[in-house]
Amino acid sequence: MTEAVLRLSGVTREHGQGDVVVQALRGVDLAVLPGELVAVMGPSGSGKSTLLHLAGGLDRPTSGSVVVEGRDLATLTAAQVAAVRRRSVGYVFQDLNLLPSLTAVENVALPLELDGVRGGMARRAAREALDEVGVGALAGRFPDEMSGGQQQRVAIARALVGPRRLLLADEPTGALDSTTGEEVLRVLRARCEAGAAGVLVTHEARHAAWADRVVFLRDGVVVDQSGPAAAAESLLPAGGVG
Amino acid sequence: MHTAYAYSVSMSIRHGLLALLERGPSHGYQLRAEFDAATGATWPLNVGQVYSTLDRLERDGLVVQDGEPDADGRIAYRITDVGQAELRGWFASPVSAKSAPRDELAIKLALAVTTPGVDVLRVVQTQRTATMTGLQELTRLKTRVHDDVELAWSLVLDSLVFRAEAEIRWLDHCEARVARAAAERRSAAAERPAPAAPPLTTGKAGRR
Ligand SMILES: Nc1ncnc2c1ncn2[C@@H]1O[C@H](COP(=O)(O)OP(=O)(O)OP(=O)(O)O)[C@@H](O)[C@H]1O
Ligand SMILES: [Mg+2]
């Protein structure tokens, strides 16, 4: 059977200590296969960003395991996790995180360059990614010379650039109007159909509906899943596949 | 079309009356007033509809007469075990997008918050999952439509998409309100040793 690109098993994440401990996630199991796009919905504070941070190796679980492309992140050194992040994971942050001193194309090329791709090649790939989300014409602009929606698309291009196997997007359509938001989802969907695994956090049901599966988070717990693809894989116990 | 609508309305009245009887035996006039109160008079019933529905419920074994008629000749009804099973089934199943009156959903939720023993958040989540699955199917259809040649069809699909989305947003809203009301009840109960029964919801809580 196909191996999941991302597998969370019994993942719990607590913040703080003693009386003020917040359980951001409580025993979450989630597997995302190649070619699959999974949406995560839930009220504010339900643990969506926490889940994405853990999946992207930006944070570590209090208990449970996070496996990306067969590698349990807990067994890796910080440097190895950083390498997985650069090579395998494309991340669109809720607050964009574009570097203000770099142009759009430089922002997008940065992860490739950090990973040792030569300047010219990195820039070519960056331009293609910008074209893909419809902001190729803005390649030379700095973030503060672009609208919120344009910056958002640059952030998405940065997550798509290079051969990423796992795409993690936290509210990527937040600042976009409905047709532009839809274009971005088409791009994300196409990447998944080409073999990547995607996790999309969104408040908008209309956007979540682009996913094969929608997972509903409530107070750090997965309470339900929808979609025709929700049945088989997700009902198997963690570790039962792959 | 019309008969399907009428059928669906009468089914909702049946379940609505069962939900009210779940709180305790009651007679027709009282049921009518409580139905209006619980649903904010979205669907005013006349007493004739109430009695003919009660007759059919009795015929089907879902309710029975509760004791003798009172001094004014009014008969109280009580829900049976079969009736309770029917009611649980209604709350556990989502409203279909194909059933004519989508208001059945508003009515179901209005009654869910006032019927003892119903897990309202479960009712909301069951509906949300069903509506989301429908929305995913619509979205898949949309990806196969080419805007340039089938713009009209694509716009029709969009209208269904936006409607399903509105329903999900409304469900989110209901859930947040129910959760907040529960939290307020808990803190009120912590202050007062003997909490009064919650009043019937007559406000806008369950309406669009
Ligand atoms: N560093 C932290 N320290 C303490 N608590 C935290 C920290 N990060 C998150 N939390 C808490 O964990 C819970 C989940 O937060 P998270 O950011 O995952 O929510 P979310 O679902 O992404 O919400 P939103 O829709 O508002 O972005 C919240 O109660 C939050 O306050
Ligand atoms: Mg968040």
Side-chain angles (χ1 to χ4, degrees):
Chain A
M1 202 177 265
T2 334
E3 194 180 337
V5 177
L6 171 67
R7 180 179 295 282
L8 306 187
S9 310
V11 165
T12 295
R13 178 65 171 104
E14 293 175 357
H15 292 292
Q17 276 174 349
D19 285 352
V20 291
V21 70
V22 178
Q23 291 200 306
L25 289 180
R26 298 183 283 157
V28 169
D29 295 318
L30 177 70
V32 189
L33 301 177
E36 199 183 17
L37 178 61
V38 174
V40 179
M41 294 193 82
S44 189
S46 57
K48 305 181 298 293
S49 294
T50 304
L51 188 155
L52 232 52
H53 285 153
L54 292 167
L58 299 164
D59 187 14
R60 286 176 184 254
T62 308
S63 62
S65 71
V66 178
V67 178
V68 176
E69 295 208 88
R71 304 176 82 188
D72 185 340
L73 298 188
T75 65
L76 305 182
T77 65
Q80 286 171 323
V81 172
V84 169
R85 272 209 314 265
R86 281 197 312 272
R87 286 187 197 135
S88 304
V89 183
Y91 205 111
V92 185
F93 291 91
Q94 192 165 10
D95 50 8
L96 302 186
N97 269 354
L98 293 178
L99 295 177
S101 57
L102 300 183
T103 63
V105 71
E106 287 163 353
N107 261 290
V108 175
L110 186 63
L112 293 178
E113 288 178 26
L114 287 176
D115 210 34
V117 176
R118 297 260 285 282
M121 258 173 53
R123 277 175 178 250
R124 256 196 308 285
R127 274 193 176 272
E128 276 169 26
L130 286 169
D131 279 337
E132 211 175 332
V133 294
V135 287
L138 307 179
R141 295 227 200 142
F142 291 95
D144 65 2
E145 299 167 346
M146 290 182 277
S147 74
Q150 290 165 343
Q151 289 181 43
Q152 195 142 23
R153 279 182 277 170
V154 173
I156 291 159
R158 182 182 54 186
L160 294 174
V161 76
R164 313 299 179 87
R165 292 268 295 155
L166 178 59
L167 299 174
L168 305 171
D170 202 344
E171 296 281 358
T173 53
L176 304 179
D177 61 42
S178 75
T179 39
T180 317
E182 212 157 87
E183 281 314 308
V184 164
L185 289 163
R186 269 180 210 275
V187 170
L188 204 56
R189 173 91 239 174
R191 278 303 178 97
C192 290
E193 266 155 29
V199 183
L200 162 71
V201 166
T202 178
H203 277 106
E204 307 242 20
R206 194 160 32 88
H207 292 162
W210 283 78
D212 299 293
R213 196 147 53 97
V214 182
V215 169
F216 296 96
L217 259 192
R218 201 66 79 247
D219 296 331
V221 177
V222 174
V223 291
D224 213 349
Q225 306 203 16
S226 83
E233 153 76 3
S234 55
L235 293 178
L236 290 168
V241 184
Chain B
M1 192 63 200
H2 182 72
T3 50
Y5 182 89
Y7 175 76
S8 192
V9 168
S10 75
M11 287 309 284
S12 304
I13 297 172
R14 274 164 74 91
H15 292 116
L17 295 186
L18 285 176
L20 296 174
L21 287 170
E22 178 66 15
R23 300 181 204 159
S26 186
H27 56 71
Y29 275 97
Q30 210 175 333
L31 287 171
R32 183 188 150 210
E34 285 175 12
F35 190 88
D36 284 356
T39 61
T42 318
W43 254 8
L45 293 183
N46 62 48
V47 147
Q49 271 174 307
V50 173
Y51 278 108
S52 64
T53 305
L54 284 170
D55 279 348
R56 266 176 277 131
L57 288 170
E58 188 180 17
R59 180 197 66 200
D60 298 343
L62 304 180
V63 305
V64 290
Q65 295 193 10
D66 189 54
E68 296 302 309
D70 68 9
D72 298 325
R74 293 181 303 198
I75 301 164
Y77 289 85
R78 171 162 61 75
I79 191 168
T80 63
D81 290 349
V82 183
Q84 285 182 321
E86 173 76 22
L87 182 63
R88 275 196 299 276
W90 185 59
F91 278 126
S93 53
V95 174
S96 157
K98 291 179 187 81
S99 83
R102 296 296 282 157
D103 279 353
E104 180 184 347
L105 178 57
I107 285 166
K108 181 181 283 197
L109 280 189
L111 290 166
V113 296
T114 51
T115 302
V118 174
D119 182 348
V120 184
L121 297 182
R122 212 350 83 195
V123 174
V124 169
Q125 185 56 48
T126 300
Q127 184 68 48
R128 181 164 34 217
T129 302
T131 307
M132 179 54 85
T133 301
L135 185 51
Q136 286 172 269
E137 280 160 16
L138 287 170
T139 306
R140 256 187 298 283
L141 276 178
K142 251 175 68 113
T143 59
R144 290 198 217 107
V145 173
H146 297 284
D147 279 1
D148 38 346
V149 286
E150 294 167 294
L151 183 59
W153 171 225
S154 170
L155 293 179
V156 170
L157 283 175
D158 278 342
S159 91
L160 298 173
V161 162
F162 278 101
R163 200 180 305 169
E165 182 187 39
E167 185 168 293
I168 289 172
R169 285 178 57 182
W170 174 71
L171 287 166
D172 291 346
H173 171 80
C174 290
E175 179 178 283
R177 300 239 357 211
V178 167
R180 193 165 47 174
E184 278 166 13
R185 269 202 301 281
R186 270 197 302 279
S187 67
E191 282 163 26
R192 280 180 284 109
L200 291 183
T201 308
T202 54
K204 295 196 180 99
R207 278 191 285 156
R208 272 176 246 231

